[in-house]
Amino acid sequence: MKRWSLRTRFGLAAACLSVAALGMGLLVLRPLVYRTQLKELDEQLAGNAEELFRDIENFRGAPQDFRKPVSERLVPAVLRGRYLQINGPEGQLLYRSANLRGRDLSGIQERHATVMIGDRESRIGTFEHGFLRVHIGTRLGTIEAMQEDLRNATLMVAPVMGVVVFGVGWLLGNRALRPVAALSAAAERIDASNPEARLPLLDASSEIAAMTEVLNRSFDRLQRAYASAARFSADASHQLRTPLAVMRAGLDGLMAQPGLPSGVAVELEGLMKQTRRLTTLTSDLLLLAQIDAGRLKLEPAVIDLAELGRAVVDDLEVQAGARGLEVVSELPEVLPALGDARRVAIILQNLGENAVKYAGEGGRIVISGGAGADGVSVMVANTGAAIPEEHRAHLFDRFYRAASGEDVKGHGLGLNIARGLARAQNGELELVRSDGEWTEFALRLPAVPL
């Protein structure tokens, strides 16, 4: 699943928070507005009641005992659109507005109450004056409309606000993370070929500057440790080459002497074998030290991978013949690429020797090649057992061997060196497949630009 960038997540978080805040605000605002409107309506109903009582008191011809029905002419014009019911001293009905449609409001005891009249909510106020008990009310249509308007406005504003806040949050996040992006780009430039590079101090007053200083100090320590390890490996390899050469010359001289006892000859042969292994290991360590330190000298040029592959096939046929292996070349006639011919030959030789080791008696080795959109490739495949899944992630680690035993020679540096040489030439070396039928490695190098 694709992961969203930090800028996008920051914008989404800001948008969600703003919409949530708007929703919470609406939850708080609607009851406040509702209560405020009810309070204003209750005050209006109280004012209507005062006006009614005043008119009744001052209207010429108003009844004196209020035990008989009240004429509609005593009702002020402002109240004729309201719900109105007037009860006398003994609770007898004196007047009921036609819009009540027979609904009796006498049972309402609260000063102000919300009741259903017909199918609509209405607000009823109950007021007393002398012997009279008056119920005045009106529908809550205006208040309900206001509540509905608030809800609709929120539903319309929320998406717009979310989009706007997301955009602003994304821009702010982009601006805030711009120094981090610059630091990431600078960190990408720090590698074995450029170990002295450091992260720039973009803003001396920010927290990022403090983090940058800490990272730069860490890079300093790592560079010193890395340089020390590479220097030690290179120096040790150089120092070992001379005594190993002397040992080999001495052993060659001893083995050349006539009349050696058979036991001594066997012992000398074993010592010569171990000396050759030490010489190979020393050369590999020196090559690795050069790769690690970024001091590997390359001579990139247009090379023919097909020709280099066929040379490896010729070498392998000699080694494979003793084990009954079949070596097959499926290389094209010409396969141009960019690389260092000497270093590419080392890679292919390493892959070929591994194929001979692991192909199994009577197996096959196939070397093929081709060009594609991602460059030019040479594939070396061999029959044999599949590489266990748990070993595949470590195949290119130093001194790691997926198989062990005297029947499989080596010291676990070949694939690591081969991949280092491939990457030094802007290429790649990878395991393509290992399924019990074939184990295949692919060397990919840049194509020759047109």
Side-chain angles (χ1 to χ4, degrees), residues 11-222:
L12 285 174
C16 291
L17 286 175
S18 64
V19 173
L22 181 62
M24 291 296 295
L26 178 65
L27 290 177
V28 174
L29 181 62
R30 287 186 68 183
L32 288 177
V33 172
Y34 186 79
R35 285 196 295 270
T36 300
Q37 289 183 298
L38 278 183
K39 183 178 179 181
E40 292 177 354
L41 182 57
D42 291 342
E43 291 175 354
Q44 291 179 14
L45 295 177
N48 293 155
E50 291 178 1
E51 185 175 351
L52 174 64
F53 294 142
R54 188 169 52 248
D55 286 357
I56 290 176
E57 289 177 353
N58 299 326
F59 193 82
R60 183 179 300 174
Q64 300 300 316
D65 54 3
F66 292 104
R67 284 178 172 80
K68 296 180 180 180
V70 175
S71 173
E72 188 172 353
R73 62 191 179 87
L74 292 176
V75 179
V78 72
L79 293 181
R80 292 179 184 175
R82 304 284 200 193
Y83 298 126
L84 178 61
Q85 180 175 314
I86 303 174
N87 293 90
E90 286 81 25
Q92 68 272 32
L93 180 64
L94 302 181
Y95 178 82
R96 180 184 291 153
S97 59
N99 55 12
L100 283 172
R101 298 180 181 178
R103 169 68 185 274
D104 186 9
L105 304 180
S106 301
I108 300 175
Q109 301 298 322
E110 296 90 344
R111 175 74 169 177
H112 298 282
T114 300
V115 299
M116 294 294 295
I117 297 180
D119 59 350
R120 300 292 297 273
E121 283 191 336
S122 301
R123 189 70 169 174
I124 305 298
T126 302
F127 310 95
E128 295 183 357
H129 181 75
F131 300 108
L132 299 179
R133 183 181 180 85
V134 177
H135 301 280
I136 303 176
T138 185
R139 289 181 179 179
L140 296 179
T142 303
I143 296 178
E144 292 173 347
M146 175 63 76
Q147 294 291 305
E148 186 70 16
D149 289 343
L150 283 174
R151 187 183 70 85
N152 293 337
T154 302
L155 292 177
M156 289 188 294
V157 169
V160 177
M161 175 181 288
V163 172
V164 171
V165 173
F166 171 79
V168 173
W170 192 91
L171 291 174
L172 291 177
N174 185 52
R175 182 174 180 181
L177 293 174
R178 194 173 299 158
V180 178
L183 292 178
S184 299
E188 287 285 345
R189 294 191 290 270
I190 302 176
D191 55 20
S193 61
N194 190 24
E196 295 83 10
R198 290 296 178 267
L199 304 178
L201 290 176
L202 301 175
D203 186 355
S205 62
S206 68
E207 292 82 357
I208 294 179
M211 180 190 70
T212 304
E213 291 177 351
V214 171
L215 290 175
N216 280 336
R217 288 195 293 270
S218 298
F219 285 138
D220 289 338
R221 292 191 294 270
L222 288 173

Side-chain angles (χ1 to χ4, degrees), residues 350-420:
N350 180 281
L351 294 177
E353 290 175 357
N354 278 352
V356 171
K357 291 177 188 178
Y358 297 104
E361 296 292 335
R364 297 181 71 212
I365 299 172
V366 177
I367 300 181
S368 58
D374 55 350
V376 182
S377 301
V378 171
M379 283 72 71
V380 179
N382 63 271
T383 56
I387 300 173
E389 189 68 35
E390 63 270 18
H391 292 304
R392 297 181 187 183
H394 305 285
L395 279 179
F396 297 94
D397 294 350
R398 294 179 185 180
F399 299 105
Y400 186 85
R401 300 179 66 191
S404 60
E406 290 299 322
D407 57 328
V408 180
K409 301 177 181 179
H411 36 65
L413 287 176
L415 285 177
N416 182 268
I417 291 174
R419 172 172 274 187

Side-chain angles (χ1 to χ4, degrees), residues 232-242 281-283 285-286 289:
F232 172 79
S233 180
D235 291 345
S237 299
H238 274 297
Q239 294 299 324
L240 286 172
R241 295 178 75 177
T242 299
L281 177 60
T282 301
S283 299
L285 289 175
L286 179 59

